């Protein structure tokens, strides 16, 4: 198993804004060595499969055209949602419950 050398450990301390005085170096070195060991274990697995194959693909020619279409007029929106429309705004149910 690979271990982390002193220079790398000092660089990690600097990047993490830790000081050697406030850190138990033996414990930290052991923890970093364990993390490196985990990466060695993971590197044994085949990662040649494309992770994006699990998601559906989208073809650009099947997307809708990017064209401007007229939206709804406010008077039409007001008609549809009249009981929930007040002073130009929609009334919606309270989203946050107690304790939020």
């Amino acid at each position: 198993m690979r271990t982390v050398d002193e220079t790398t450990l000092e660089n990690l301390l600097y990047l993490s804004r830790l000081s050697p005085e406030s850190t138990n170096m033996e414990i930290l070195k052991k923890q970093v060595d364990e993390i490196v060991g985990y990466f060695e274990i993971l590197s044994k697995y085949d990662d040649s499969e494309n992770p994006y194959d699990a998601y559906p693909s989208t073809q650009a020619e099947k997307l809708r055209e990017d064209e401007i279409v007229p939206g709804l007029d406010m008077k039409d929106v007001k008609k549809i949602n009249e009981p929930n429309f007040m002073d130009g705004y929609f009334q919606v149910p309270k989203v946050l419950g107690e304790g939020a």
Side-chain angles (χ1 to χ4, degrees), residues 19-45:
S19 65
E21 296 82 29
S22 67
T23 307
N24 186 331
M25 296 297 285
E26 290 179 20
I27 292 175
L28 181 65
K29 182 169 182 355
K30 181 181 173 194
Q31 290 172 339
V32 172
D33 286 341
E34 287 176 1
I35 292 171
V36 170
Y38 293 140
F39 281 103
E40 288 177 359
I41 291 170
L42 290 174
S43 68
K44 293 177 185 176
Y45 291 96

Side-chain angles (χ1 to χ4, degrees), residues 9-92:
L9 195 58
E10 288 175 11
N11 290 338
L12 286 173
L13 284 173
Y14 175 76
L15 290 171
S16 62
R17 305 291 190 250
L18 295 172
S19 65
E21 296 82 29
S22 67
T23 307
N24 186 331
M25 296 297 285
E26 290 179 20
I27 292 175
L28 181 65
K29 182 169 182 355
K30 181 181 173 194
Q31 290 172 339
V32 172
D33 286 341
E34 287 176 1
I35 292 171
V36 170
Y38 293 140
F39 281 103
E40 288 177 359
I41 291 170
L42 290 174
S43 68
K44 293 177 185 176
Y45 291 96
D46 179 26
D47 64 348
S48 62
E49 184 178 318
N50 186 351
Y52 296 106
D53 289 343
Y55 302 103
S57 63
T58 307
Q59 296 178 1
E61 62 271 4
K62 291 186 179 180
L63 297 176
R64 65 174 171 79
E65 294 295 320
D66 190 17
E67 59 187 42
I68 298 172
V69 295
L72 296 173
D73 289 327
M74 283 306 270
K75 62 181 175 144
D76 295 333
V77 173
K78 187 176 178 182
K79 279 186 211 173
I80 295 170
N81 295 303
E82 192 160 356
N84 298 328
F85 197 76
M86 181 186 292
D87 298 329
Y89 297 98
F90 291 102
Q91 279 186 314
V92 294

